[in-house]
Structures are given as C-alpha cells and as structure tokens.
Amino acid sequence: MPAPVITADNLVKAYKVKGKPDFLAVDGLSFEVAPGESFGLLGPNGAGKSTTMKMVGAVSTRTSGDLSILGLDPDRYGPEIRSRLGVVPQQDNLDGELNARENLYIYGRYFGLPGKVCHQKADELLAFAQLEDKAKSKVEQLSGGMKRRLTIARGLINDPRILLLDEPTTGLDPQARHVLWDRLFRLKERGTTLVLTTHYMDEAEQLCDRLIVVDKGRIMAEGTPASLIREHSSREVLEVRFGSDRNEQVAPQLEGIGDRVEVLPDRILVYANDGEAALETVTHRGLTPITSLVRRSSLEDVFLRLTGRSLIE
C-alpha cells in the first residue's frame, strides 16, 4: 500500500478565551488520506472542518497531536508543503481588476513559474474549467459558477499533489454544482488527491471515496458513503406528513413500524428495509398522511442521526 499523503493523529486546535476554558475547535481528530483519494469532512457549520483544513494547508499551527502532509510536518516545513498544495478557499478571492486569464498567469508567477509556462498552463486550465471564451473577461463579469471554476483552475496552476477544497459549491445553483462536480471527477481521474469540506450531504455522497462526519471538533463516524449509510441508517426511508401541528401527536402511533421513527418539524421519517410495506402498515392503522414518499437512505439521514438526534439525547 502506498504511504498516506496526509496523516493526523489525535490532532487538537485550541483557542484561548478570556476568563473561560480553552475552546477546542478540533478535539482529537485522527485520520489518513491515501494518494489519489477523494476524502471529505462532513459536518455542520462550526464543526471544526475549516480549522482542520487550515492546519492541513500549513497556514495554522496545531495545539497538540501529530500531523504529516506529504511526509513533512507542516509546523516546520510550511513553505515546502504549501508549494505542493492547491487551495480553493470557501470564499472566492480572485483579483477583480484582472481578467480570467491574468488571474491564472499572475498566480503562477507567485509560485515562481516561468512566464512561458504560466501562459501555457493558463490556457490549459481555462480549457479544463470550460472558460476559454471568458479568458479576457473581468472577474466581475463572471457568474458565480464561473468564478468557482476559475478559483479551482487557479488552485491547479502549480500541479499540486493535493487539492484542498473548502465548501466548494456553497451558493451555487444546481446546474453550476453539477458542472463543478464534473471538473472534480476529472481531476480525480488524473490522480489528484482531493480533500474537501462540505455540509451538503449529496455532494459528499457524489464526490467522496471516504469521509469523516465531524461535530464539535470530534469524529462521529468514518467510512465510505455506502458503509456509513448501511451502519447508521436503513435501506429505505418513508417520509410522511400529517401537518406541522399533528406530526408530534401522530408519531407514537407509528412506533413499531420499521427500525425506528424520527420526528422532524415538517415530517416524520420511518426508517425501514421496505418503505412501501411500511406505508401499507401506516394506512392499515387508520392513519392518512397528507403526503408520503418512499426513498433510499442517504448521507443526510446519517448526518441527522449522528449530529442531530444523538446531541439532543
């Protein structure tokens, strides 16, 4: 087996808070990322995902624990590591005074690449991002999806071994998200290691070979999307709505149907191996939902169980 490109062992990041105990943004994370893998950190806002990415990106020092990036300690070899990483931040920070091609060229020069190489790579990356016809357009003239693709292209200017993506599709419409996913699939096929944070469950399910679910700085679960669904959810989910004022009243009458029942503000989820059979049982008990839907389990169900219901308990 090839050596991991990222190894974290009991990684901790604490912040001083005046008059209070230290705030643990990251509280003992341990994980490994294999070369060429697409690895995800899934969790709600404030879970510690971005803080972890900053330590992996060698721009924030750790409080304790061990961290190795490409075989190097980021606290000691920050510049060397950063030169071999590509970074796509949560917010686009493109230069609005430059056009799309100039943004790529100038960024390449920051890495010390010769001008001729920067010109060549800028053209290649514009083609990769499907932005050839926008090469001379100022950043402010680009749509949100175009800006995001340009930011990813910029992160590839130095042929990085690892590409870090922090919430890569936040704020994009569904069409733009799918175009961006396609570009990331192509990168993975080239052998680039992808490490991404997201709170979009469908995005993690689409993009990640393996992921960790993080909440309050701790790992709640780890595995492939499929294995996490098998472990923490059922094969199918029945969603029924009786009205926001009746869901709580009806829920006790659904007990015993399927594996478990979960009440959300707008609907009730019945986790079952056979969703259609569960719906038949609901109707046989004399209950008539306003709407019903049978679907397969997803990472969203895993997320709700690990970071929602478990915290309430």
Side-chain angles (χ1 to χ4, degrees):
M1 293 291 291
V5 292
I6 301 174
T7 300
D9 183 17
N10 199 28
L11 188 63
V12 173
K13 179 66 176 183
Y15 292 99
K16 298 290 185 182
V17 180
K18 188 175 181 179
K20 297 181 180 178
D22 291 352
F23 171 68
L24 293 177
V26 175
D27 187 10
L29 297 190
S30 297
F31 60 89
E32 291 184 348
V33 180
E37 185 176 29
S38 181
F39 183 83
L41 290 86
L42 177 66
N45 290 328
K49 306 184 304 295
S50 295
T51 302
T52 301
M53 291 287 270
K54 289 177 181 177
M55 289 187 284
V56 171
V59 294
S60 177
T61 59
R62 62 189 182 274
T63 302
S64 63
D66 294 319
L67 181 62
S68 173
I69 313 297
L70 298 170
L72 300 173
D73 183 338
D75 287 357
R76 297 178 59 195
Y77 299 97
E80 292 89 339
I81 291 173
R82 289 191 291 272
S83 70
R84 300 158 75 180
L85 299 179
V87 178
V88 178
Q90 191 171 115
Q91 300 294 328
D92 294 323
N93 55 358
L94 300 163
D95 193 326
E97 298 299 315
L98 304 177
N99 63 35
R101 194 173 189 278
E102 290 167 342
N103 265 275
L104 298 177
Y105 176 85
I106 296 298
Y107 200 68
R109 294 295 286 163
Y110 287 153
F111 282 95
L113 300 177
K116 184 177 180 180
V117 173
C118 290
H119 281 302
Q120 179 183 347
K121 291 190 71 63
D123 291 336
E124 292 173 355
L125 290 170
L126 285 170
F128 170 78
Q130 296 180 313
L131 292 172
E132 300 103 314
D133 59 336
K134 300 294 182 180
K136 295 184 179 180
S137 298
K138 291 291 184 68
V139 167
E140 61 189 17
Q141 299 173 315
L142 303 179
S143 68
M146 291 176 182
K147 290 177 183 177
R148 211 65 184 131
R149 297 205 303 275
L150 182 60
T151 303
I152 289 177
R154 188 189 63 179
L156 298 171
I157 197 75
N158 60 324
D159 290 324
R161 294 269 311 273
I162 303 171
L163 182 63
L164 306 179
L165 302 114
D166 195 1
E167 308 286 359
T169 64
T170 295
L172 298 186
D173 61 53
Q175 184 179 17
R177 290 180 73 202
H178 281 276
V179 171
L180 195 59
W181 287 354
D182 176 69
R183 299 298 97 182
L184 295 177
F185 276 127
R186 291 171 185 263
L187 280 178
K188 187 176 178 302
E189 289 175 344
R190 294 181 182 182
T192 303
T193 301
L194 305 180
V195 180
L196 65 109
T197 72
T198 183
H199 55 255
Y200 293 138
M201 270 53 73
D202 59 336
E203 181 161 273
E205 201 164 345
Q206 286 284 335
L207 296 179
C208 297
D209 299 319
R210 194 166 50 87
L211 56 89
I212 54 176
V213 180
V214 182
D215 192 38
K216 294 190 174 181
R218 297 181 179 180
I219 294 178
M220 309 292 286
E222 179 177 359
T224 66
S227 69
L228 289 174
I229 292 171
R230 285 195 302 270
E231 182 179 353
H232 298 282
S233 190
S234 55
R235 189 170 70 88
E236 293 185 341
V237 180
L238 167 64
E239 298 188 3
V240 287
R241 288 179 167 88
F242 296 92
S244 57
D245 57 341
R246 291 194 63 225
N247 286 334
E248 288 279 359
Q249 300 172 12
V250 173
Q253 301 177 57
L254 300 179
E255 290 300 328
I257 301 177
D259 300 328
R260 61 188 178 93
V261 174
E262 185 163 16
V263 183
L264 300 181
D266 62 332
R267 63 196 187 278
I268 302 174
L269 306 183
V270 180
Y271 295 88
N273 187 57
D274 187 335
E276 292 292 347
L279 180 58
E280 285 185 21
T281 304
V282 171
T283 57
H284 286 162
R285 293 185 179 184
L287 300 172
T288 305
I290 298 172
T291 64
S292 62
L293 169 69
V294 175
R295 59 171 175 80
R296 72 176 183 87
S297 282
S298 68
L299 274 178
E300 181 171 351
D301 301 301
V302 175
F303 177 83
L304 283 171
R305 187 169 192 184
L306 294 176
T307 67
R309 180 168 176 163
S310 63
L311 291 180
I312 293 173
E313 293 172 349

